[in-house]
Amino acid sequence: MGVQLLDRTGRTVRLTDADADAGAVYADHARRALRNLDTAERAVHDVRNISRGHLRLGVTPTFTAYLVGPLTAELHTRHPGISLTLTETTQDRIEAALLADELDLGIAFTGRHLPGIGATPLFTETLSLVTRTPPTPTITEPLPVQALTDTRLALLSSDFATRSYIDAYLADHRITPHIAVEANSVQALTEIVGRTPLATVLPDAVTHDHPHLTPVPLDPPLPTRTVALLDRHGAYRSAAARAFTRLTRDLVHARRYTPPGREPS
């Protein structure tokens, strides 16, 4: 190469930081080449009739409560030969993993993304107050936001992006909430709310598969978010990824989630 790439003067071998970081620059291109070779190998072995395959999917945590289960069930029903590796993590880590070719697809939200990330809108997600379903369900009118002052809440912990939405909403309306429980698991919250008088704030779609929970709209409503399927621009799209994209759109339509760009009716 005409330059020194490795420094062997110490007890360990490390990349050089001289010559305009020649070692680090070369290593970065080498890693890209290896990722391209991995992609090429997957492409060669890709079976277009979906009799087999593998999908690496990343999702942000709230989707495990209402979307991951139905999607996995539909994938198994339509394409039982496709195996799935599911990673639950934050959106920034999903995007970094997509760029590093460690994930094929991600489910998160539209907004500002890392360069090289593509986002295809899927549906509009609505956050609502979620309570235990009463013995005799009644038609629920929107609850004035001021009522949250006297409502004991169980909320996601502050490391969740959803919590930042909730905190901003409460701050905008000058509400000081009575937080009785904080949890870093959506499943924990659904269990707690289903067994106690506490309420929470979650996507109202969570209640679709939890009959013991009821969404209560707030007045004014919490801000909506647009759910999106994330990928890497120019990345090879395997047959498994294409199949998953199709069934995701079908499931969103079948469940009548609000189309992207529209307000819930």
Side-chain angles (χ1 to χ4, degrees):
M1 300 299 297
V3 294
Q4 183 179 349
L5 300 179
L6 300 174
D7 180 2
R8 303 177 184 271
T9 58
R11 292 185 177 181
T12 60
V13 179
R14 62 187 180 87
L15 297 169
T16 59
D17 55 11
D19 297 316
D21 298 320
V25 170
Y26 186 81
D28 179 61
H29 283 276
R31 291 189 185 100
R32 294 184 195 178
L34 289 172
R35 286 198 296 267
N36 288 337
L37 286 173
D38 289 338
T39 300
E41 183 177 352
R42 290 200 303 273
V44 168
H45 291 95
D46 191 13
V47 179
R48 294 188 179 275
N49 62 9
I50 320 294
S51 63
R52 62 181 174 88
H54 183 69
L55 179 71
R56 302 167 300 171
L57 176 68
V59 299
T60 55
T62 53
F63 294 120
T64 58
Y66 72 93
L67 193 59
V68 167
L71 282 175
T72 304
E74 190 68 16
L75 179 66
H76 180 71
T77 298
R78 294 193 192 185
H79 311 291
I82 296 179
S83 60
L84 175 68
T85 297
L86 179 69
T87 301
E88 180 188 272
T89 187
T90 59
Q91 179 156 343
D92 56 345
R93 290 179 179 174
I94 289 173
E95 294 188 11
L98 286 168
L99 293 175
D101 194 31
E102 295 167 357
L103 291 175
D104 301 307
L105 295 172
I107 300 178
F109 300 98
T110 58
R112 298 179 65 180
H113 302 288
L114 294 177
I117 294 296
T120 303
L122 291 173
F123 62 94
T124 298
E125 182 186 73
T126 304
L127 295 171
S128 296
L129 190 71
V130 174
T131 66
R132 181 173 59 183
T133 301
T136 305
T138 57
I139 298 177
T140 304
E141 295 295 328
L143 184 72
V145 64
Q146 289 75 18
L148 292 183
T149 302
D150 301 318
T151 303
R152 299 178 71 223
L153 298 173
L155 296 180
L156 290 168
S157 53
S158 58
D159 51 340
F160 282 76
T162 298
R163 177 63 184 272
S164 66
Y165 273 72
I166 299 168
D167 288 346
Y169 171 82
L170 295 174
D172 286 345
H173 297 285
R174 300 180 181 179
I175 301 298
T176 302
H178 182 178
I179 302 174
V181 175
E182 285 188 303
N184 65 351
S185 163
V186 177
Q187 183 179 3
L189 288 183
T190 59
E191 287 293 316
I192 290 168
V193 172
R195 298 171 185 272
T196 71
L198 300 178
T200 189
V201 178
L202 288 173
D204 57 14
V206 170
T207 64
H208 293 181
D209 296 317
H210 295 81
H212 60 288
L213 299 177
T214 296
V216 179
L218 291 169
D219 183 22
L222 281 104
T224 60
R225 302 185 288 186
T226 300
V227 178
L229 195 65
L230 306 183
D231 61 7
R232 175 167 57 94
H233 284 308
Y236 172 73
R237 183 67 71 89
S238 68
R242 295 194 300 272
F244 185 83
T245 299
R246 288 192 296 270
L247 72 85
T248 299
R249 290 171 176 162
D250 291 346
L251 185 138
V252 165
H253 178 74
R255 291 201 155 208
R256 299 182 179 179
Y257 291 153
T258 304
R262 296 187 193 175
E263 290 297 318
S265 57

